Every structure is written in structure tokens, then in C-alpha cells.
Amino acid sequence: MILLISDLHLEEGRPDITRAFLRFLDERASHAEALYILGDFFEVWIGDDGMTPFQTDIAGALKALSERGTRIFLMHGNRDFMIGRRFCRQAGCELLHDPHVAKLGNERVLLMHGDSLCTRDTGYMRLRRWLRNPISLFVLHHLPLAKRQQLASRLRSTSKTETRMKASDIVDVTPDEVTKVMRRYKVRTLVHGHTHRPAVHDMQVDGRSARRIVLGDWDRQGWALQIDESGAHQQPFALD
């Protein structure tokens, strides 16, 4: 059994999500061969050198899971793209590039956070290119922690305001971009998060059947995609 989750947005202000996640690790993930976390695991991450006791505790919970035999893979999201090697060592997880092709069951599956697919949101795409530029990342990592915290808070506030003002199709994935990336990686299944719109979309890529599985976010309920010999299944569950 393999489990995939995304968009937990863990933070101290949402203890209900934290409790649900820790329960999920103990009751479900401990029985899995692998756990994939596809971005926005934390609500904000200003650098491994700025880890809070809360974030350290989460790393410890993941480490305990890995020591029980579950392999853990983590992908950056748009909120936590500054997670680095120090956190991964403490959490016992492997950091994946976005996109990443994984062999899940008998199929090659493309894994992404999903924000890079939203190409109609031109303002966000410009910001994303700037933030992910190696030079920008170097500068960000070397800013004082207080400055990084201020920048993160400003970016979060701006993002929430702009998202409310944008049309729903602009902040969703671009269909042509989905087809293009699936063609590039020669896959028939894509799994991503980011949009907070859990669903399975049947589609065609070069005349062949394909599917796009969107992971749900953890806000009013939790979501996990389970892949086993019977197929892929995603169902919500209560946080408390």
C-alpha cells in the first residue's frame, strides 16, 4: 500500500489538523510501504535554520514513522519551498524534485505539487520563477530570520487577497499544460495537489486514455490517496 497526501498547511494555529495528521501516521501510514507528501506540508517555512519547536516535533513524528519501515518522500509546495536537507535528515525523508516520476504499483506515475500547472495565473507564475531562481533562493536563505518571517507573512497575505479576486479557472490548472507535461514524461497518470479541488479527471493524451488525480487539502476534512492492488482510492475523513 502506498499513500499520497498534500496541502496539510500544518501550523500551530490549527491543532485539529496536527492531531489528525499524527493519528494518520499511527493508524494508516505505519502500515504503508511509502508515504508521499506532495507539497504545502507546512503553512509556511522560512528555512531549516528557523525551525520552531512545533516543526521539530513534526519532523520527529516523521522520523519515528520512517524507523518503523515506511519510506517517506517530500516535495516542495508554494508555501514550503525552502525546506532543505536539515529538515529531511531530521524527518527521515527524501526530498523529491517537482515533477517526479515514481513507479507506483505497476505504473509510472507523474507526481507534482501542481502550482506550475496554473499557467493562466501569470502574476503568480512570474513570482514563482523569481522565488525559485537559484540566486533568489541564495539571497532568501541568507536574510536574517526576522526579515524572512516578515516577507513570508507579506506573501501569504497578498496571496490570499489575490486568490479571492481571481476567477476560478485562472487559479486552476491549464488543461493544455497538463497534456503537455504528461506527454513530456510519457505517463498516463498524473497526481498533484495545490488547487484544493479533489477529483479524478479522465482525459485523453495523444488518443490514449489518461487520468489526473487531484489530492484534497486538509482544512474541513483530511484526504489521502491510497494505491494498492485494487487500484487508487481517495476518500475524505474527519479531522477530529
Side-chain angles (χ1 to χ4, degrees), residues 7-149:
D7 298 279
L8 281 73
H9 295 269
L10 291 174
E11 60 176 333
E12 290 186 72
R14 289 296 305 269
D16 55 330
I17 299 177
T18 302
R19 288 192 300 269
F21 174 64
L22 296 177
R23 188 169 64 249
F24 170 81
L25 294 185
D26 185 57
E27 296 178 358
R28 294 187 63 182
S30 60
H31 303 290
E33 171 189 342
L35 170 65
Y36 288 82
I37 305 171
L38 301 188
D40 283 2
F41 182 45
F42 290 98
E43 171 67 4
V44 66
W45 192 270
I46 62 172
D48 291 5
D49 57 335
M51 286 176 62
T52 65
F54 168 76
Q55 293 166 338
T56 299
D57 288 344
I58 295 297
L62 289 176
K63 182 70 170 181
L65 176 67
S66 71
E67 291 175 345
R68 294 169 69 178
T70 299
R71 297 184 68 192
I72 306 171
F73 301 93
L74 177 67
M75 182 176 286
H76 287 148
N78 52 292
R79 296 296 184 92
D80 52 14
F81 63 90
M82 290 181 69
I83 287 177
R85 295 178 180 177
R86 176 179 167 185
F87 173 81
C88 290
R89 284 195 302 269
Q90 290 186 222
C93 66
E94 179 180 342
L95 190 62
L96 300 178
H97 291 291
D98 180 2
H100 174 81
V101 177
K103 185 71 176 297
L104 304 183
N106 296 317
E107 184 181 9
R108 293 173 71 254
V109 177
L110 182 61
L111 307 178
M112 305 179 70
H113 176 57
D115 58 326
S116 63
L117 298 169
C118 302
T119 57
R120 287 173 295 197
D121 190 348
T122 55
Y124 170 73
M125 295 303 291
R126 283 195 300 270
L127 177 63
R128 186 183 192 277
R129 285 192 295 271
W130 184 84
L131 289 172
R132 304 301 181 91
N133 183 287
I135 297 175
S136 300
L137 284 172
F138 177 84
V139 172
L140 289 171
H141 278 295
H142 287 81
L143 287 175
L145 282 173
K147 289 291 185 182
R148 275 181 264 162
Q149 186 63 62

Side-chain angles (χ1 to χ4, degrees), residues 137-197:
L137 284 172
F138 177 84
V139 172
L140 289 171
H141 278 295
H142 287 81
L143 287 175
L145 282 173
K147 289 291 185 182
R148 275 181 264 162
Q149 186 63 62
Q150 291 174 4
L151 178 60
S153 296
R154 189 158 61 245
L155 288 173
R156 287 168 67 194
S157 177
T158 300
S159 174
K160 290 178 181 179
T161 300
E162 291 184 349
T163 298
R164 286 195 297 267
M165 297 173 62
K166 292 174 182 175
S168 61
D169 63 323
I170 290 178
V171 294
D172 201 355
V173 302
T174 305
D176 287 347
E177 185 68 19
V178 170
T179 301
K180 183 168 68 176
V181 75
M182 293 182 73
R183 181 184 295 124
R184 181 187 311 145
Y185 288 94
K186 298 179 173 62
V187 297
R188 296 175 63 187
T189 298
L190 163 64
V191 179
H192 70 82
H194 180 65
T195 64
H196 300 189
R197 299 175 182 183

